[in-house]
Amino acid sequence: MHFWTKLNHKAIYLVVLLTLKLPLSYAQSQSAIQPATEQARGISYIWWSMFWVAVVVFVAVMLLLAWGLWRGKSKKPTKLSYLASRNLVIVAGIAVPLVTVICLVGGSLMLGRSLSASPPDNALEVRITGWMWWWQIEYLDENSNTIATTANELHVPINRPIQVYLESGDVIHSFWVPQLHGKTDLIPGRTNSSWFEVDVSGTFRGQCAEFCGLQHALMGFLVVSEPQAEFDAWLANQQAPAQPPENNEVLAGQRVFFEAGCHQCHTIRGTDAAGTAGPDLTHLASRQSIASVTRKNSRAHLGGWVADPNGIKPGAKMPMSQLDAKELSDLLDYLQSLH
Amino acid sequence: MKDHPHTEQAIFDDQEGAEPILDKTWLSPPGFFGWFTHVNQRQIGFRFVVTSLIFFALGGLLALLMRLQLVQPENTLMGAEFYHQIMTMHGTTMMFFFAVPAMEGLGIYLVPLMLGTRDMSFPRLNAFGYYVYLIAGITLYLALFLGMAPDTGWFSYVPLAGIDYSPGQGVSFWTTMITFIEISALTAAVELIVTILKQRAPGMTLNRMPIFVWSILVMSFMIVFAMPTVMVGSVLLALDRTFATQFFVASGGGDPLLWQHLFWFFGHPEVYIIVVPALGIVSTVISTFCQREVFGYTAVVLSMVTIGFVSFGLWVHHMFTTGLPHLGLSFFTAASAMIAIPSGVQIFCWIATLWGSKIKFKTPMLFIMGFFAVFVIGGLTGVMAASIPFDMQAHDSYFVVAHLHYVLIGGAVLPFFAGLYYWYPKMTGSMLSERLGCWSFWLIFIGLNLTFFPMHQLGLDGMPRRVYTYLHNMGWGEVNFFVTCAAFLMAFGFLLTFINTLISPYKSRAAGNNPWNADTLEWWAQSPPRNYNFRHLPVISSRTPLWQKAPLYKVTGIRADRREIIITTLLDAKPQGVCIMPSPTYWPFVLALTVGFGFLGFMFKPILFVVGFFLSFFAIVGWLWPARPWLAEKPPEEGHPVRGLQ
């Protein structure tokens, strides 16, 4: 085919793709207008109301402008009289925007009040701490004591309010799961909070929304919503210490873990590893992903990450490891045994 | 003191054959070294405009580089660090080194011409402001080429920009140069205010002043109140970084939110500092191409003043997600949405003016038509983002990137380019090519809509802003690819205008004094104006001096052998006296160098700031050294009170 024809075909394909894409592309994992909670539905409703009001306003202004210009093209151009001009400005420039804006502000303040109200008493409380560039997740009991710690994967029961307390360990981050709620910042020296109630089972992706340095772009996390019974089982497992090694490879892997110094930054409950600079690894193997949802939690990706974290996320604080193949393999056996 | 030869026999500008004397009096010395002595307002204003356009081109190139990195998921064209540097430089360049200086430059060039005077109030301060701007810009770009550019974003949020998380020199360059360039903005604002209030031609009462001059007056007052907060903020940040003062460090008793309040108390008015003069350009161009006065002069002027006031009550809408109490935030929602009303008033005043007019659709008018569509969209998404719940989703996502580019390109860049096509004949004496202009407009207009409109969708799809990459499975790839292509289309459109401005002086016809048959005084001067702007100073008796049937009266008794201008009263522009303006000198340049030395030295060794301070002291002494030969003169005759003003 001739070059230009080829290019044309591509262009047409692209245009078709985009026109199809614009209204249909909501079937994604991080969309604000595919809500799964009462909170996100309210915001989505406000968005669509404002969207249609904006379309009407835009079309009306453009039509008025075009009409005025078209009057000038006619053979006998008629300019607006002073009175007509004045009325146009008063009605279209003051009265209509005033009424529209009062409705929009009123509606959004009413929704805002319900979003910022305290959650019902039976809320599950979770403390989330932002670190460069991962999320520490702690489940709290009634007395606000930590009962389980994990990272980058928040499990929640459905149909129960979830109260999240948001803190930061270093710079400002922002907690954002578009399908569940708008974002709230994590600011050093403050404890912010937000709450939502998921009504379907599913996995929702979230991401840091405030620029926080080198790997801001790859600071994701997952929210997994499940029925209360499944959640209870999951939480019970997370509360328990790690299982002791069952065979020699795993035992060798645990030795590598300590010899290589991994324990200085990571905690594995039930062992002597109690470092706090990196994520808690007690139940690492139960998570779906590693490196803040940058890679799937498979043996291959885990190996790549341990060998050279900066190859996947340049700037990550975890140093490159100096392990030979056998040591790495044993270590992976150990890490994968941490269910 | 010995009598100056000029004082022996005064020569007045209304005498026959006074032109050579005027030329000699108002001369800007030629040559390379002469360049550093210029103080005439037109030279300085022109330099501001040209320099800001160069920074616009550089900022645009950085934007294209960013788009190339985002063209596909997990692209490896550049690393995160470099991306963050060019992202920070793009924002900083466009806001501090393009938009504000460009509008100030137009103001400095046009305001004295529109007011019918021969120079600005403080010509040397004017020159000083330009050199400060130039030094700040060159320094930041040198830092970029040395790989030391700031990389914490154009709003440098702490603690990320603090010494613990940004130990390099990048943020130090940023804080220093931001403080430094705001000096330039403040000097320009002060001069513009004094010039507008005290140097209007006799008879140009405040309500006869061109709308563009009103817009510059509003802009200048906003600068005076907004810029000091960002200077305070960046000085506090520099102190935190250098002397560990803990203003913004939570563990030391400070508060990271304090920075956000200080920054946005400046940052939000900043948007209107850029947009208000652009609205002035829109009124001016519409009036000229409809050949009638803009409907509702008072309403338009009051709208601009209202925007100026209200814009200082909006800053917290940049902080809706910081966890501040909802009741407090709701005031800022209401104030933000309120901006729709003064904007609406102006839009419909313009539509009423355009209604039924025989309009010549020359390039400036095309850009204004583009402005209508783009600015209305940007305004509407702005009202949306004023809603706290919706902003919790839109904030820091690509929706906001789309919104701010619609507002700033629609509300400032398109009118600025309209102004460029409109005033270029006055500045250079030749017209810009209409054909290239038309192509340029359509490419920019189509390109910018294709670039920024899909970003609304990216934002709703959950793409945060300031990400150097995104993962394959996010589904953002196609739209980003499309956006990158469109960005190049838009860039090509801007390139055509740049080519147009470079070749037109050689190719196109001479403009004549008033090619568009406009009504304001700048078109009464030659194109390009002489160094003294006007052969005679005019007396004004209507709002449209060049459209009135009666001839313009001329002021007599102004001396041609020294730089004299008329001072008038604040409201009614009644003549009050004659003021003698200073002549060309090196001192503003020297002072800019010494101040620059102090600021830059501070980054490396704090003691160098003290050295710079004393060097600047000597430069100021040199600047103020008395050189006023006329002081030895006999007391002036009645009606010609003499005042010295340096």
Side-chain angles (χ1 to χ4, degrees):
Chain A
M1 221 187 292
H2 190 264
F3 175 72
W4 282 111
T5 341
K6 243 185 186 169
L7 201 71
N8 262 334
H9 277 228
K10 269 202 172 156
I12 290 166
Y13 170 72
L14 193 71
V15 169
V16 170
L17 187 88
L18 271 160
T19 36
L20 285 179
K21 177 118 192 77
L22 287 176
L24 292 179
S25 64
Y26 303 143
Q28 278 160 24
S29 54
Q30 203 167 309
S31 169
I33 38 187
Q34 229 197 8
T37 63
E38 200 55 47
Q39 288 72 23
R41 254 195 301 279
I43 298 178
S44 174
Y45 177 74
I46 280 253
W47 148 252
W48 284 115
S49 336
M50 293 195 297
F51 173 76
W52 288 113
V53 170
V55 169
V56 171
V57 170
F58 178 73
V59 171
V61 174
M62 288 302 116
L63 282 180
L64 260 174
L65 178 65
W67 189 12
L69 293 178
W70 177 75
R71 295 298 303 174
K73 293 275 171 198
S74 63
K75 279 187 189 142
K76 270 193 185 167
T78 43
K79 297 183 176 180
L80 279 192
S81 66
Y82 171 79
L83 219 60
S85 306
R86 194 195 68 185
N87 292 344
L88 176 72
V89 171
I90 290 176
V91 173
I94 299 178
V96 174
L98 194 64
V99 172
T100 321
V101 155
I102 286 175
C103 293
L104 285 180
V105 169
S108 88
L109 289 188
M110 268 154 63
L111 176 65
R113 245 182 78 177
S114 73
L115 291 183
S116 62
S118 320
D121 287 339
N122 64 335
L124 172 73
E125 296 185 315
V126 185
R127 184 194 299 134
I128 296 179
T129 310
W131 295 93
M132 289 161 112
W133 295 279
W134 58 281
W135 307 84
Q136 178 174 319
I137 296 165
E138 293 165 279
Y139 288 82
L140 308 178
D141 63 12
E142 307 82 58
N143 304 322
S144 299
N145 296 319
T146 303
I147 51 174
T149 305
T150 180
N152 302 329
E153 195 171 306
L154 175 69
H155 283 244
V156 296
I158 56 173
N159 297 327
R160 183 173 165 195
I162 315 296
Q163 165 98 56
V164 287
Y165 297 108
L166 302 166
E167 293 173 2
S168 168
D170 37 46
V171 302
I172 300 178
H173 304 277
S174 194
F175 178 85
W176 188 30
V177 196
Q179 286 180 274
L180 305 186
H181 203 318
K183 57 188 76 64
T184 304
D185 294 350
L186 296 75
I187 301 173
R190 284 170 190 257
T191 304
N192 279 336
S193 66
S194 168
W195 72 276
F196 51 86
E197 184 176 330
V198 191
D199 40 30
V200 288
S201 299
T203 303
F204 309 96
R205 194 180 186 279
Q207 193 168 353
C208 176
E210 183 61 78
F211 183 63
C212 57
L214 267 188
Q215 287 305 327
H216 164 60
L218 299 180
M219 185 173 164
F221 61 99
L222 294 177
V223 179
V224 178
S225 65
E226 52 205 4
Q228 184 75 41
E230 279 176 46
F231 171 75
D232 288 341
W234 177 86
L235 187 61
N237 182 47
Q238 295 293 317
Q239 276 179 276
Q243 289 159 350
E246 282 169 353
N247 58 42
N248 284 340
E249 282 83 14
V250 174
L251 193 63
Q254 190 184 43
R255 208 173 300 127
V256 174
F257 186 86
F258 283 91
E259 280 164 7
C262 307
H263 64 291
Q264 288 169 356
C265 297
H266 294 284
T267 294
I268 295 179
R269 280 172 276 135
T271 74
D272 291 340
T276 53
D280 184 303
L281 300 180
T282 312
H283 299 285
L284 172 67
S286 73
R287 296 180 206 152
Q288 298 180 20
S289 65
I290 56 165
S292 307
V293 205
T294 307
R295 293 285 184 269
K296 277 217 161 59
N297 189 2
S298 68
R299 189 177 176 87
H301 284 310
L302 197 57
W305 173 258
V306 171
D308 182 15
N310 275 268
I312 295 172
K313 281 173 78 167
K317 301 252 166 66
M318 181 163 151
M320 198 186 254
S321 59
Q322 309 286 340
L323 304 174
D324 61 32
K326 172 77 173 66
E327 288 170 331
L328 182 61
S329 169
D330 288 344
L331 180 63
L332 292 178
D333 283 341
Y334 176 57
L335 292 178
Q336 291 201 297
S337 77
L338 298 170
H339 285 292
Chain B
M1 193 188 279
K2 210 179 120 190
D3 266 8
H4 196 272
H6 282 179
T7 58
E8 282 165 11
Q9 198 196 353
I11 301 161
F12 295 95
D13 73 349
D14 42 299
Q15 287 169 343
E16 286 287 319
E19 284 103 335
I21 314 280
L22 275 170
D23 265 329
K24 192 172 149 231
T25 308
W26 291 89
L27 178 76
S28 285
F32 178 75
F33 293 105
W35 194 87
F36 294 97
T37 67
H38 292 186
V39 292
N40 294 52
Q41 132 267 334
R42 282 189 320 99
Q43 267 86 353
I44 305 296
F46 192 71
R47 282 182 204 175
F48 262 108
V49 172
V50 171
T51 314
S52 69
L53 280 172
I54 292 171
F55 280 116
F56 179 64
L58 289 172
L61 288 177
L62 297 181
L64 289 181
L65 278 177
M66 282 195 281
R67 282 317 316 171
L68 282 178
Q69 163 68 12
L70 293 175
V71 69
Q72 59 177 19
E74 299 181 47
N75 199 2
T76 51
L77 178 71
M78 62 184 77
E81 198 176 351
F82 184 64
Y83 183 89
H84 295 150
Q85 288 191 3
I86 61 176
M87 167 192 96
T88 305
M89 287 296 288
H90 169 73
T92 305
T93 305
M94 291 306 196
M95 295 304 269
F96 295 107
F97 293 91
F98 162 63
V100 176
M103 295 302 175
E104 282 169 0
L106 271 188
I108 289 169
Y109 192 99
L110 291 166
V111 161
L113 284 164
M114 286 187 166
L115 298 181
T117 185
R118 284 183 171 152
D119 205 336
M120 305 243 309
S121 294
F122 311 109
R124 293 183 173 182
L125 199 60
N126 211 358
F128 170 72
Y130 173 74
Y131 295 121
V132 163
Y133 162 49
L134 188 67
I135 291 172
I138 290 177
T139 311
L140 259 194
Y141 270 85
L142 275 182
L144 179 64
F145 289 120
L146 296 174
M148 291 161 71
D151 57 359
T152 54
W154 88 276
F155 35 86
S156 279
Y157 269 15
V158 290
L160 183 62
I163 194 76
D164 293 338
Y165 301 102
S166 300
Q169 286 291 9
V171 178
S172 301
F173 268 111
W174 189 88
T175 54
T176 315
M177 287 305 114
I178 291 310
T179 314
F180 196 47
I181 187 159
E182 301 315 351
I183 296 176
S184 160
L186 284 171
T187 57
V190 167
E191 288 153 32
L192 284 164
I193 291 172
V194 177
T195 307
I196 292 169
L197 294 183
K198 292 306 290 177
Q199 282 182 233
R200 299 195 306 278
M204 188 186 278
T205 55
L206 269 188
N207 63 349
R208 286 178 186 156
M209 203 162 81
I211 290 178
F212 178 75
V213 180
W214 270 109
S215 72
I216 294 290
L217 184 64
V218 173
M219 172 196 85
S220 304
F221 272 109
M222 290 175 71
I223 289 180
V224 168
F225 288 101
M227 296 295 181
T229 30
V230 74
M231 291 175 78
V232 167
S234 54
V235 168
L236 295 187
L237 179 54
L239 290 174
D240 260 13
R241 291 175 56 86
T242 315
F243 301 116
T245 43
Q246 319 279 319
F247 287 110
F248 304 125
V249 182
S251 58
D255 190 347
L257 280 192
L258 173 62
W259 167 262
Q260 297 189 18
H261 283 295
L262 285 173
F263 188 85
W264 291 117
F265 188 83
F266 140 82
H268 202 82
E270 162 91 347
V271 175
Y272 296 96
I273 284 171
I274 298 164
V275 168
V276 165
L279 299 178
I281 297 174
V282 174
S283 291
T284 311
V285 173
I286 285 181
S287 156
T288 297
F289 286 90
C290 294
Q291 291 289 300
R292 61 194 289 202
E293 265 189 80
V294 166
F295 172 77
Y297 176 91
T298 315
V300 169
V301 169
L302 284 181
S303 297
M304 292 192 300
V305 175
T306 309
I307 289 179
F309 274 104
V310 177
S311 73
F312 281 90
L314 311 181
W315 81 95
V316 177
H317 74 204
H318 296 267
M319 300 165 65
F320 278 167
T321 64
T322 52
L324 295 172
H326 184 257
L327 181 65
L329 295 183
S330 46
F331 290 103
F332 293 90
T333 294
S336 310
M338 207 164 96
I339 289 280
I341 291 156
S343 310
V345 167
Q346 289 190 71
I347 296 267
F348 286 98
C349 282
W350 294 324
I351 289 183
T353 314
L354 291 163
W355 202 281
S357 297
K358 287 260 178 231
I359 300 163
K360 291 182 214 138
F361 277 100
K362 301 285 188 189
T363 311
M365 203 57 195
L366 289 180
F367 276 97
I368 297 301
M369 290 294 129
F371 153 85
F372 270 101
V374 178
F375 186 64
V376 170
I377 294 179
L380 288 168
T381 53
V383 173
M384 293 175 185
S387 152
I388 300 168
F390 178 65
D391 188 64
M392 290 176 79
Q393 291 284 17
H395 182 70
D396 273 335
S397 79
Y398 259 77
F399 190 92
V400 168
V401 179
H403 159 69
L404 77 92
H405 283 94
Y406 263 89
V407 170
L408 289 175
I409 297 190
V413 176
L414 291 182
F416 178 75
F417 273 72
L420 194 68
Y421 276 88
Y422 180 70
W423 281 300
Y424 186 88
K426 179 52 63 187
M427 292 181 175
T428 64
S430 47
M431 308 293 288
L432 281 171
S433 156
E434 277 293 317
R435 235 178 88 174
L436 269 177
C438 192
W439 273 98
S440 173
F441 165 73
W442 283 109
L443 285 172
I444 293 172
F445 182 71
I446 294 170
L448 88 90
N449 279 295
L450 294 182
T451 304
F452 296 112
F453 201 80
M455 286 187 186
H456 292 112
Q457 200 211 333
L458 281 176
L460 293 174
D461 275 350
M463 181 163 166
R465 66 194 285 204
R466 303 155 151 231
V467 291
Y468 77 97
T469 193
Y470 48 94
L471 299 174
H472 278 289
N473 57 6
M474 299 308 298
W476 301 328
E478 290 96 342
V479 181
N480 270 303
F481 176 75
F482 181 81
V483 162
T484 299
C485 297
F488 275 87
L489 191 71
M490 171 169 66
F492 185 63
F494 282 117
L495 180 68
L496 286 187
T497 291
F498 277 96
I499 294 173
N500 201 352
T501 55
L502 291 178
I503 62 171
S504 284
Y506 308 102
K507 298 195 79 169
S508 79
R509 64 196 166 84
N513 285 3
N514 193 356
W516 314 112
N517 190 26
D519 63 325
T520 40
L521 274 178
E522 78 271 26
W523 303 101
W524 193 50
Q526 268 184 40
S527 300
R530 313 293 302 227
N531 277 329
Y532 46 88
N533 285 353
F534 300 99
R535 175 67 183 79
H536 301 282
L537 297 182
V539 178
I540 300 301
S541 55
S542 76
R543 209 176 270 163
T544 52
L546 300 194
W547 287 349
Q548 69 187 28
K549 297 218 172 65
L552 275 179
Y553 288 103
K554 292 159 189 166
V555 176
T556 57
I558 299 296
R559 280 171 65 157
D561 53 358
R562 62 191 193 197
R563 298 186 169 209
E564 283 196 352
I565 53 146
I566 308 172
I567 301 293
T568 53
T569 56
L570 198 147
L571 292 176
D572 299 330
K574 291 191 178 122
Q576 250 182 337
V578 167
C579 171
I580 300 162
M581 307 308 274
S583 45
T585 169
Y586 284 110
W587 287 113
F589 179 64
V590 174
L591 182 63
L593 284 182
T594 56
V595 175
F597 174 83
F599 272 89
L600 275 174
F602 176 75
M603 285 173 43
F604 298 100
K605 263 199 178 359
I607 188 70
L608 290 182
F609 188 78
V610 181
V611 176
F613 179 85
F614 283 104
L615 287 176
S616 304
F617 175 76
F618 289 119
I620 292 171
V621 169
W623 178 329
L624 296 178
W625 201 260
R628 299 172 191 172
W630 59 85
L631 289 182
E633 236 180 318
K634 295 186 291 288
E637 62 218 77
E638 197 67 15
H640 279 159
V642 171
R643 288 182 178 191
L645 193 72
Q646 192 82 17

